[in-house]
Amino acid sequence: MPQTRIVVVGSANMDLVATAPALPRPGETVLGTDFVMVAGGKGANQAVAAVRAGASCAFLGAIGSDSFGVTLRARITAAGVDTSRLRVTYGTSGVALVMVSADGENAIVVSPGANASMTGLTEDERSLVRAADVLVAQLEIPVETVTEAALAARDAGTRVVLNAAPARPLPAELLAATDLLVVNEGEAHALTGRGSDEPRALLDLVPRAVLTLGGAGALYVDRDGTTAHVPAFAVDVVDSTAAGDAFTAALAVAWGEGRELLDAVRWAAAAGAASVRRLGASVALPGRAEIDEIYARA
């Protein structure tokens, strides 16, 4: 089987991850238990996850001219992602401050840094998108750039998977170019005013959607009338930070390989489950064999 060709357009951040028995309340200081510094950002995470899931992947994004930027490029490249078009902007790279509790819940603050400079696409970048099997995008870079990439993909017949996170209003032309929308309950509510109580409301915006429900699994809906619940796989949760990115990337890879979408959602659920068993984001993203091992439980 030829490798699925994925292009990810999105953010790259340095994740500063601290663990503690519980997340601090406003104004509270808690004593932490561990700290790691890892490459992250939803775009970079999904690019690395796509490679580990078996695809070839090119990443379109921006890093700063600081030491974090040097480290980000090195780590994303070492993961097997094509970073030849990764932009460098004078100034700081994106940074995410991540707090993780003992039960795996997290709270995250993101400072965009160079990600905010990812405006417009060059003709070379648009050509790369047009040659891909699947474009994967999120919303941690300017939405105008995401829209431009999605329109280039649509014109070439490249499938568009949009992970609409973080939640924000979306232009109609971006939604019209989206083949598959991936959102959690909060993001679904921001887009439609509904959550898991009415997932089919998403179909007023896009032809197909996956609503992720954390430990409750995911709901898949499409305009052909399908509504299906995919249960989560039972695993010991250490850190859920990477779960959404592992899920979205694996879903794009499986769909690009020709799996039926409902089966692709099941495989993506296995990827999400595999990712929560380790601390951190990019370092927790699972390989294909690990995904297959958990998927086999279905």
Side-chain angles (χ1 to χ4, degrees):
M1 177 190 302
Q3 279 188 308
T4 299
R5 297 166 300 170
I6 303 283
V7 170
V8 174
V9 57
S11 60
N13 298 321
M14 186 59 73
D15 289 353
L16 310 178
V17 185
T19 61
L23 299 179
R25 295 184 294 271
E28 180 185 19
T29 298
V30 300
L31 187 63
T33 55
D34 202 358
F35 173 79
V36 294
M37 185 174 73
V38 296
K42 295 192 72 64
N45 286 346
Q46 291 178 17
V48 171
V51 170
R52 292 186 181 169
S56 65
C57 183
F59 178 49
L60 301 180
I63 54 175
S65 56
D66 55 0
S67 61
F68 282 168
V70 174
T71 303
L72 282 168
R73 180 188 291 277
R75 293 188 181 180
I76 298 168
T77 303
V81 177
D82 177 1
T83 59
S84 60
R85 296 167 180 82
L86 186 59
R87 302 181 188 181
V88 178
T89 299
Y90 181 77
T92 61
S93 298
V95 174
L97 307 177
V98 184
M99 297 177 292
V100 183
S101 67
D103 60 1
E105 290 300 313
N106 63 71
I108 304 172
V109 175
V110 176
S111 176
N115 295 301
S117 72
M118 185 62 188
T119 55
L121 296 179
T122 66
E123 180 53 37
D124 178 55
E125 290 167 336
R126 287 191 293 271
S127 295
L128 187 70
V129 169
R130 288 192 287 263
D133 297 310
V134 185
L135 170 72
V136 179
Q138 326 76 33
L139 302 175
E140 289 183 341
I141 62 171
V143 70
E144 295 82 5
T145 306
V146 175
T147 301
E148 184 178 350
L151 293 175
R154 182 190 62 185
D155 291 345
T158 298
R159 290 170 171 171
V160 177
V161 175
L162 175 63
N163 178 204
R168 65 168 70 179
L170 297 180
E173 58 184 346
L174 173 56
L175 290 168
T178 297
D179 296 297
L180 176 61
L181 180 70
V182 181
V183 288
N184 63 23
E185 290 185 271
E187 294 147 5
H189 187 271
L191 288 173
T192 68
R194 303 291 188 95
S196 59
D197 59 322
E198 189 46 68
R200 296 194 67 82
L202 294 166
L203 301 180
D204 293 335
L205 307 175
V206 295
R208 305 166 194 84
V210 176
L211 177 62
T212 59
L213 304 171
L219 287 169
Y220 170 73
V221 294
D222 62 34
R223 288 177 181 169
D224 292 332
T226 305
T227 299
H229 175 245
V230 174
F233 292 86
V235 295
D236 293 329
V237 177
V238 174
D239 180 5
S240 61
T241 302
D245 294 334
F247 180 98
T248 299
L251 179 60
V253 172
W255 195 25
E257 289 177 349
R259 294 184 190 232
E260 294 293 329
L261 255 174
L262 189 54
D263 186 54
V265 175
R266 293 190 186 98
W267 200 69
S275 75
V276 306
R277 301 190 294 186
R278 290 184 290 274
L279 179 66
S282 60
V283 293
L285 297 168
R288 190 177 184 98
E290 188 178 1
I291 300 171
D292 285 339
E293 182 269 324
I294 293 179
Y295 171 79
R297 300 179 190 176

